[in-house]
Amino acid sequence: MKISHVALWTRDLHAAALFWQTYFAAEVGEIYQSKRRKGFASRFVTLPGNGAAIELMSGPWVEDGQASEQVGWTHVAISLGSAEAVDTLAARCQAAGLLMSGARTTGDGFYEAVIRTPDGIAIELTA
C-alpha cells in the first residue's frame, strides 16, 4: 500500500500551485472545474523523484482555520535528502517570509526546519 495523494484546501489555487512549483519544483497539473459542485476547482501538484501528489482544492466556501491545534492532520514532512538542502530551502523561505522555525535537530533526531504555505499550513523540511 501507499498513499495515492493528500489534499489541501486553499483560498487561492494559483498562489498555492505557484508555491509548490517555486519551492519544491513540483509539476503542476491543469485546473479541474467541477460541473456538479459549483465553484469547486482543484489541481494536482506532483513532487519530483518519488512522485508524491498533492491535490490543491478551492471553493468560495473555504475559510481560514479557527484553531492552530485541532483534530486532524497538522503538517506534512518532506524529506529533502540532506541537511544542506534543508538549510538552503529554509533560507529561501526566510527571505520570502515563509519560515516558521529555523533548522535544528529535534529531540527525536530529525534535522528539520518548518515553513508555511501561503495559506499558513505547516510543512516540515527534513534531511
Side-chain angles (χ1 to χ4, degrees), residues 31-102:
I31 295 175
Y32 162 75
Q33 299 275 348
S34 177
K35 293 180 174 101
R36 293 184 181 168
R37 190 171 186 195
K38 187 170 176 63
F40 177 85
S42 69
R43 67 193 315 178
F44 279 86
V45 295
T46 305
L47 300 177
N50 69 0
I54 300 163
E55 182 180 12
L56 305 173
M57 305 182 308
S58 68
W61 54 85
V62 175
E63 298 179 15
D64 290 336
Q66 299 300 314
S68 62
E69 294 182 351
Q70 56 194 10
V71 173
W73 299 103
T74 184
H75 66 265
V76 63
I78 298 176
S79 175
L80 303 180
S82 71
E84 181 181 339
V86 170
D87 292 342
T88 299
L89 186 50
R92 285 182 61 205
C93 290
Q94 183 174 21
L98 301 172
L99 185 67
M100 294 175 71
S101 174

Side-chain angles (χ1 to χ4, degrees), residues 13-24 28 43 45 56 118:
L13 197 56
H14 176 72
L18 185 60
F19 168 83
W20 288 97
Q21 185 177 50
T22 300
Y23 296 102
F24 294 96
V28 178
R43 67 193 315 178
V45 295
L56 305 173

